[in-house]
Amino acid sequence: MPSVRVRFRVNGEWVQAQGPLDRRLIDVLRQDLRLPGPLEGCGQGECGSCLVLFNQKAVNACLLPLFAAADAEVFTAEGIAGARAFAGLPGWIRRRGLAEVQRRCGRCAPGMLVALAGLYLGNPEAEAEELADALSGNRCSCGTGARP
Amino acid sequence: MRDREIKVYRPRSLNGLLRLYSLDPDALLYAGGTAIALRAAAGRERPFRLPPRLIMLGNVPELGRITRTPRHLDIGAGVTLGRALSTGRNVLPAVLAQAIASVGTPPVRNLGTIGGNLCAGREDGGAVPSALAVLDGQVELRSAAGARWVRAWLAEPRRGEVLTRVRIPMEEWQAQGFRRLASGLTLAAAARLGRGALETLHFCLAGSDFGLLRSRELEDSLKNARLPLAPRARQGFLRELEERLSIPGLGSYARATAVRLAGWFLDRLDEAGPG
């Protein structure tokens, strides 16, 4: 299998990764960079467990091959939690009555945080309907929380 | 295969892309990659079956443009479905906005592109192509040798051709409707109403069993019909539709469901009419 070497930013730091053409971004994030935030779920873009911010948009890291990440800026849930650009995010979530997100079992929380961060960056004045739509790609796999 | 045999091209202009593709027409054009990834999701060991030569489309500015004139709306083939949706309901015809919103989840739509959906996403049930069909959308196919425009729902680029943009005529539709069922059966329709009558009807059904069905003859059968539709006109339309759906492989339940969908839109027309 042919291999590629790619340079991109993860949570504000430049990183370099290498792998076969079919290597996925989620595998690099979890295996090479030891970032536990993006979780492997359905593997086909339906559950939202693996969401990352990719050039400021929430996308499924399980659908992204490594080579497509060249020069991209990627934020995982742990990066969002620590980045100044997202300092207002927890308050923004609270004000919208979505604190319930943080009370779940935890499995879907990183993906939901990324989905909300993507919405926060693109449209901080989002209406309730847009919030619901932004989270429609996140599945609660344990059943502890209803979707906001 | 050795590493040095891999080529990932990243052209930064449309001319550069066309030149590259003419030199290497066997290379894979890669935009959002969702169709490739989702198609291969069943074989988890090798999720991305890719040839060793790829042309990435993400850095070609011409493919990422959305322009609007009084006569038409142009959407670059590299515009993601999510970005197209965010142009707003005042710009995007409602039937197309609903069709795009029915594709995947928001994160998938942040990756998938309009061009990719038309060229590689056919197995998703034809939501976007059916909406473009009722809007008389066209796509531009360009190669190093020139450009041609074809109907959007028939977009099949030839060797060396790149789908560069979708063009949608800016027309006023008083009634638009879109439904997509869990089975993948899709209805897209748009109508112009005037003086208590149905002036123009555009109507398209799509399904994985039969592809896209749009019939001018069927549409014209209701041309200038008074609203609300007379029971005879309505029943005649639905009966004719059912006959056209007598396609080998399409079961009676799917056929009846398609006719019910059509009836749903005719009901909407009656509601939108003068009553």
Side-chain angles (χ1 to χ4, degrees), chain A residues 46-69:
Chain A
E46 286 179 6
C47 72
S49 304
C50 63
L51 287 194
V52 294
L53 276 188
F54 184 80
N55 294 332
Q56 305 206 337
K57 299 281 181 191
V59 304
N60 302 95
C62 70
L63 298 181
L64 264 173
L66 171 63
F67 69 82

Side-chain angles (χ1 to χ4, degrees), chain A residues 1-4 18 21, chain B residues 1-7 52:
Chain A
M1 190 66 172
S3 170
V4 286
Q18 190 172 352
L21 260 187
Chain B
M1 190 171 282
R2 290 187 179 177
D3 291 5
R4 65 172 180 270
E5 292 174 337
I6 302 170
K7 293 277 184 197

